[in-house]
Amino acid sequence: MRCTWCDSEYTFTGGEHVSIDEVLRQVRNFGCRLVEVTGGEPLAQREAFHLIKRLCDEAYEVLIETGGYVSTEDLDQRAKIILDVKCPASGEAERNHWPNLTRLRPDRDEVKFVVADRADWDFARQVVKDYDLERRASCVLISPAWEQINLPDLAQWIVESGMNLRLQLQMHKHIWGPDVRGV
């Protein structure tokens, strides 16, 4: 979990069980009101939906960055979703849970595509069209896969599409390098 306001990060790893009450205690200690639940696929964690509800009950602004292959249907409606649609080059496109795209809310949810090549770009553009994502989501993000695609080419494809899309770079990789963690 990361506190976006103060950029503190707290990670629960090693397979130990940490109670939701303990997670909430740690979150309260950050002193910020914005919490992003991310990492792998957070919704695949057994207690994630309950944690998200509890965070919302305590009036945190909650962002959920999801890989998109677990249904968001039972997610607390107060949470904001950042839905990652897997493109073909990821090898995970068949895992996309397409009904998630129909539940996006234009006043709060975002959708993201990580694009590695022209085929991924064409796939993303078609999904945006097929699901009317420019209208259905508050923002459509196009993120280049690290060192797999020419950034000027991708930027040009976005401009030429005439679509309302945002190019999203992983700035931490450009500043500190792709292998640095915890930044």
Side-chain angles (χ1 to χ4, degrees):
M1 251 188 288
R2 177 176 294 282
C3 173
T4 305
W5 178 74
C6 66
D7 203 38
S8 297
E9 185 169 347
Y10 193 82
T11 304
F12 301 99
T13 59
E16 78 248 25
H17 178 76
V18 178
S19 72
I20 288 176
D21 288 335
E22 174 61 18
V23 173
L24 289 169
R25 188 183 69 73
Q26 291 292 328
V27 169
R28 287 183 205 110
N29 286 340
F30 287 143
C32 60
R33 303 303 307 165
L34 178 63
V35 176
E36 183 171 357
V37 180
T38 186
E41 175 49 77
L43 300 182
Q45 302 301 314
R46 186 183 61 204
E47 296 183 40
F49 289 85
H50 185 63
L51 170 63
I52 292 162
K53 180 185 181 319
R54 294 271 310 270
L55 288 163
C56 290
D57 287 347
E58 292 195 24
Y60 286 95
E61 181 178 358
V62 180
L63 309 176
I64 311 302
E65 190 153 350
T66 172
Y69 62 85
V70 174
S71 174
T72 59
E73 185 174 15
D74 295 327
L75 194 60
D76 191 298
Q77 291 296 301
R78 296 170 291 181
K80 296 178 182 179
I81 298 169
I82 304 165
L83 184 75
D84 185 0
V85 176
K86 302 299 185 195
C87 293
S90 73
E92 296 184 18
E94 70 283 348
R95 296 182 75 189
N96 289 317
H97 185 73
W98 298 108
N100 284 339
L101 294 175
T102 65
R103 285 188 283 276
L104 292 169
R105 300 156 300 176
D107 63 325
R108 61 183 36 204
D109 299 331
E110 299 177 0
V111 63
K112 176 177 75 171
F113 298 85
V114 177
V115 175
D117 54 28
R118 180 64 195 224
D120 276 1
W121 162 248
D122 292 338
F123 173 86
R125 192 181 59 206
Q126 192 61 51
V127 171
V128 170
K129 255 196 225 174
D130 290 348
Y131 286 89
D132 194 18
L133 296 180
E134 290 176 276
R135 184 188 59 77
R136 190 180 298 273
S138 69
C139 184
V140 179
L141 306 165
I142 305 295
S143 184
W146 182 254
E147 293 187 337
Q148 293 184 36
I149 192 165
N150 182 290
L151 291 178
D153 287 347
L154 181 57
Q156 187 62 37
W157 299 338
I158 292 170
V159 169
E160 288 173 355
S161 77
M163 298 171 117
N164 185 18
L165 310 173
R166 184 183 308 164
L167 180 61
Q168 178 192 42
L169 302 179
Q170 295 176 306
M171 293 303 293
H172 64 284
K173 289 183 179 182
H174 291 277
I175 296 169
W176 294 287
D179 300 321
V180 175
R181 300 286 180 245
V183 293

